[in-house]
Amino acid sequence: MTERIDTRLIHGGVDGDPRTGAVNVPIYQTSTYRQPRLGHNLGYEYSRTGNPTREALEKLIAELEEGVAGFAFASGMAAIGAVLSLYKSGDRILISSNVYGGTFRILDKVFKNFGIGYGIIDTTDLSEVERSITPDVKAILIESPANPLMSVTDIAAVAALTKKHGIHTIVDNTFMTPYLQRPVALGADVVVHSATKYLGGHSDLVAGLAVVNDKELAERLHFIQNATGGILQPFDSFLLIRGIKTLGVRMDRHVRNAEAVAEHLSKHPAVSRVYYPGLKSDPGYEVNRRQAPNGGAMISFELKEGYDHRVFLSSTKMIALAESLGGVESLLCHPASMTHASIPKDIRDRVGITEGLIRLSVGIENEDDIIEDLERAFKASRRA
Ligand SMILES: *Cc1c(COP(=O)(O)O)cnc(C)c1O
């Protein structure tokens, strides 16, 4: 394994093709493999079980996240669904009070029907975490910074608590990526990704990844991946490997732009609150600094009374109003009606996902162009 993360992004996993010298891993677009004789194969039998292109990606993400094994899925939700399938009827999973809406939905509408329960807690409050670990709780699933209020959870502290109780810490590391934050090194057992976002990085594919830090979990998750079948296809695996190669340079630019935009918004007369753990004034700043070098590139903010969020969201020229995040282009989103619409309104209100909340995925365009476009929307949205 190469030492430094920015080099590992490019040369980690399977570096090229030893047979031909091609610098890229070939796309093995095949469903099956010739078996030389009965009962023998060359390491592959059927592409749901294993495919060399997908395997290269799986080795790469395992190395980047410093885990034992990686698994690639057709989407982030397929990865999360596979990980939740590690548990059984009677078990309960605790989740952060502001996780991705789909994570809440799969627990509330799918796994609950199979007897796997869930509880919503404030994972930024460690005493609440400790109090909530009852004997039926088998895992805590956290995001840090969490979607969409960018609240920061102390990953090492939560992992220490779950270790004490012999249960798992699962971290959705989509917002930070292994370039900025490596939960396994902080004690997490499982890391999941919507690779659709920063890892892919170009808004041109949907993919999910999971990494585990122990052999037994790896065997169980591979069994589930093969049994349930939500695998990533060879071409998409290739695209994702290609995306990950530039993750370092993209993230550096994403973060530089985000810091400038957050600074601008925090002094803005139209903005009542900025949620960004890279700002010194943010309540999560100190804890985030212990587990990541910066605050990432996702910002949420709230408009003041005198500004109309509906008008704001339709008044930018360059920045699109769209679901998703982490692509090279800046995107705006309205969590209450888009990414988090599947969370009931009373829960949204309780955790602070208000009607006026706007989420911005800061892209890698010129920072002045991003700020000018936001200014256009602020001007247009001012109520008379
Ligand atoms: C998008 C997202 C997911 C879901 O991933 P898909 O690739 O859309 O299935 C999960 N977690 C987070 C934090 C996300 O942003």
Side-chain angles (χ1 to χ4, degrees):
M1 186 159 77
T2 327
E3 281 302 321
R4 298 169 183 85
I5 185 82
D6 42 358
T7 303
R8 242 187 288 156
L9 292 169
I10 296 155
H11 297 291
V14 178
D15 194 10
D17 176 32
R19 199 171 73 84
T20 61
V23 296
N24 288 301
V25 174
I27 303 168
Y28 285 90
Q29 196 71 42
T30 188
S31 61
T32 192
Y33 306 82
R34 182 194 294 266
Q35 305 190 5
R37 58 199 159 87
L38 195 61
H40 291 265
N41 61 58
L42 303 174
Y44 303 93
E45 329 174 81
Y46 187 61
S47 278
R48 170 160 36 72
T49 318
N51 173 281
T53 314
R54 191 176 88 226
E55 212 170 83
L57 168 66
E58 293 177 330
K59 285 203 170 112
L60 174 61
I61 193 64
E63 279 184 23
L64 296 176
E65 288 288 5
E66 299 173 14
V68 165
F71 302 93
F73 295 90
S75 68
M77 286 322 302
I80 290 169
V83 167
L84 293 175
S85 304
L86 291 165
Y87 304 95
K88 59 181 197 306
S89 173
D91 291 351
R92 216 153 57 85
I93 317 291
L94 299 178
I95 55 173
S96 309
S97 57
N98 54 106
V99 288
Y100 178 70
T103 302
F104 167 80
R105 182 175 56 194
I106 198 173
L107 281 163
D108 187 54
K109 296 283 193 288
V110 181
F111 282 92
K112 203 171 73 182
N113 297 336
F114 296 105
I116 296 174
Y118 69 91
I120 300 174
I121 59 167
D122 177 3
T123 54
T124 67
D125 178 352
L126 292 170
S127 63
E128 181 171 339
V129 175
E130 176 132 55
R131 270 200 317 278
S132 309
I133 304 178
T134 48
D136 57 343
V137 170
K138 294 297 177 320
I140 303 184
L141 193 161
I142 58 181
E143 291 175 20
S144 187
N147 200 351
L149 295 171
M150 312 307 153
S151 58
V152 174
T153 290
D154 186 333
I155 298 172
V158 169
L161 280 176
T162 59
K163 233 162 223 107
K164 201 170 88 184
H165 288 86
I167 64 171
H168 298 140
T169 295
I170 304 166
V171 179
D172 182 333
N173 204 26
T174 300
F175 274 29
M176 290 309 241
T177 81
Y179 182 64
L180 299 180
Q181 177 170 276
R182 288 180 291 285
V184 168
L186 298 165
D189 302 282
V190 182
V191 178
V192 291
H193 279 283
S194 170
T196 311
K197 317 295 167 56
Y198 289 107
L199 296 178
H202 297 76
S203 306
D204 56 6
L205 104 137
V206 174
L209 296 168
V211 171
V212 295
N213 78 339
D214 121 343
K215 264 190 93 142
E216 193 236 319
L217 272 180
E219 273 165 30
R220 288 175 60 203
L221 194 56
H222 183 253
F223 184 88
I224 291 166
Q225 183 192 37
N226 184 48
T228 59
I231 48 145
L232 193 65
Q233 295 299 329
F235 183 70
D236 290 342
S237 298
F238 160 81
L239 275 182
L240 190 46
I241 293 170
R242 176 181 155 112
I244 289 172
K245 284 183 201 290
T246 58
L247 179 68
V249 285
R250 283 188 287 109
M251 284 316 280
D252 286 348
R253 179 61 177 263
H254 277 295
V255 171
R256 200 182 81 198
N257 283 356
E259 286 173 347
V261 170
E263 205 56 54
H264 181 81
L265 292 175
S266 68
K267 290 185 279 213
H268 203 284
V271 174
S272 60
R273 180 148 184 204
V274 179
Y275 299 89
Y276 179 62
L279 286 173
K280 277 208 177 69
S281 56
D282 191 273
Y285 179 83
E286 288 298 331
V287 173
N288 186 66
R289 252 306 148 79
R290 274 189 258 136
Q291 52 200 28
N294 54 57
M298 294 297 300
I299 300 172
S300 288
F301 57 98
E302 196 121 24
L303 292 181
K304 280 196 182 145
E305 282 285 328
Y307 294 81
D308 185 331
H309 71 271
R310 285 172 194 282
V311 178
F312 182 92
L313 289 166
S314 52
S315 300
T316 50
K317 214 164 79 182
M318 172 183 77
I319 309 173
L321 173 65
E323 303 260 0
S324 204
L325 60 106
V328 290
E329 63 285 285
S330 296
L331 294 178
L332 277 167
C333 142
H334 183 239
S337 70
M338 294 166 71
T339 48
H340 291 69
S342 56
I343 299 176
K345 190 173 181 321
D346 58 312
I347 300 180
R348 284 205 310 263
D349 287 343
R350 183 151 43 90
V351 303
I353 305 171
T354 61
E355 277 300 306
L357 187 76
I358 291 167
R359 192 186 76 180
L360 173 65
S361 172
V362 182
I364 64 171
E365 302 97 339
N366 182 287
E367 70 180 53
D368 294 333
D369 286 329
I370 298 171
I371 289 172
E372 278 170 30
D373 203 24
L374 292 172
E375 279 310 312
R376 182 177 296 122
F378 282 126
K379 280 202 188 77
S381 63
R382 184 164 188 170
R383 290 194 171 101

